[in-house]
Amino acid sequence: LAKTTQPISMDSYEGQEVNITCSHNNIATNDYITWYQQFPSQGPRFIIQGYKTKVTNEVASLFIPADRKSSTLSLPRVSLSDTAVYYCLVARNSGNTPLVFGKGTRLSVIA
Amino acid sequence: DTAVSQTPKYLVTQMGNDKSIKCEQNLGHDTMYWYKQDSKKFLKIMFSYNNKELIINETVPNRFSPKSPDKAHLNLHINSLELGDSAVYFCASSQDRGYNSPLHFGNGTRLTVT
């Protein structure tokens, strides 16, 4: 399984763009990159998923360079409600491989 | 209209007791999971079921027994509870067993063993 490394914590002011980078140096050809968000006392929530280049949805953008050894989750104009833990996961499309969550990045948004 | 619902939300019990946590999903998904989140906030998969069939069992003590009566339900029964079982247990589901199929989590059951 590809191991992921991401910052333990980040702080940001409201209205700023936040970029959280995840390293996955041993990502395999069949692996997808997925990000989840977890608020206190809730289960993780799927944010975005990508394989290469750039993916954008109503919540975030995901940038993946050509070598796919890292990825960056971009949250535009964060608000206080974006304070949460963000997990980067790398997994292949194989249902017999357990999906492993790392420690995640704790984002604190300050007014 | 909750997609993945777990009951109870909180569970406080004594060592040695047996308890169950129920999970139901109304998303029509084929695959369901149980995850454990410990005090250090690590999320670890325990079990995965696909169409009522066990496909992942991650070195969980056999005191933990999942039961899937149908593909919309995956219950977790725990025998002889120990202090170390205290954690938050999350149920999740996905469309299928492929990992580009996003997981949908419930809001967790906080189990406290005294």
Side-chain angles (χ1 to χ4, degrees), chain A residues 32 34 36 38 41-46 49 87 89 91-103 106, chain B residues 9 35 37 41-43 45 48 55-56 58 90 96-108 110:
Chain A
Y32 284 78
T34 311
Y36 286 81
Q38 185 177 23
S41 302
Q42 293 186 25
R45 182 176 75 108
F46 170 83
Q49 183 180 77
Y87 295 97
L89 284 82
R92 60 207 56 173
N93 188 16
S94 167
N96 291 334
T97 305
L99 197 57
V100 178
F101 284 76
K103 292 184 179 181
R106 182 172 299 278
Chain B
K9 186 173 176 64
Y35 278 80
Q37 188 165 41
K41 303 299 183 184
F42 281 111
L43 258 173
I45 189 165
S48 173
I55 56 172
I56 293 174
E58 279 295 300
F90 288 100
D96 52 48
R97 56 200 287 180
Y99 284 115
N100 59 347
S101 183
L103 299 178
H104 295 253
F105 283 83
N107 282 330
R110 181 174 295 276

Side-chain angles (χ1 to χ4, degrees), chain B residues 8-15 17 19 81 86 109-114:
Chain B
K9 186 173 176 64
Y10 299 97
L11 185 53
V12 181
T13 188
Q14 291 183 328
M15 286 175 56
N17 285 348
K19 291 293 179 185
L81 279 156
S86 295
T109 296
R110 181 174 295 276
L111 171 65
T112 303
V113 182
T114 61

Side-chain angles (χ1 to χ4, degrees), chain B residues 72-109:
Chain B
H73 295 83
L74 181 62
N75 303 323
L76 184 64
H77 189 76
I78 315 170
N79 289 329
S80 303
L81 279 156
E82 300 176 357
L83 293 176
D85 297 332
S86 295
V88 181
Y89 292 84
F90 288 100
C91 177
S93 71
S94 63
Q95 181 65 51
D96 52 48
R97 56 200 287 180
Y99 284 115
N100 59 347
S101 183
L103 299 178
H104 295 253
F105 283 83
N107 282 330
T109 296

Side-chain angles (χ1 to χ4, degrees), chain A residues 1 4 12 30 32 51 55 59 63 84-85:
Chain A
L1 291 172
T4 60
S12 176
N30 295 336
Y32 284 78
Y51 183 79
V55 180
V59 177
F63 298 92
V85 178

Side-chain angles (χ1 to χ4, degrees), chain A residues 4-11 18 20-22 34-48 59-60 73 75 78-89 100-109, chain B residues 37-43 90 105:
Chain A
T4 60
T5 303
Q6 48 183 127
I8 293 175
S9 64
M10 294 180 70
D11 293 333
V18 171
I20 306 174
T21 297
C22 179
T34 311
W35 286 80
Y36 286 81
Q37 173 192 55
Q38 185 177 23
F39 297 115
S41 302
Q42 293 186 25
R45 182 176 75 108
F46 170 83
I47 301 176
I48 198 165
V59 177
L73 175 73
L75 304 171
V78 293
S79 63
L80 295 176
S81 63
D82 292 316
T83 294
V85 178
Y86 292 82
Y87 295 97
C88 164
L89 284 82
V100 178
F101 284 76
K103 292 184 179 181
T105 297
R106 182 172 299 278
L107 172 66
S108 298
V109 180
Chain B
Q37 188 165 41
D38 59 25
S39 57
K40 295 183 179 179
K41 303 299 183 184
F42 281 111
L43 258 173
F90 288 100
F105 283 83

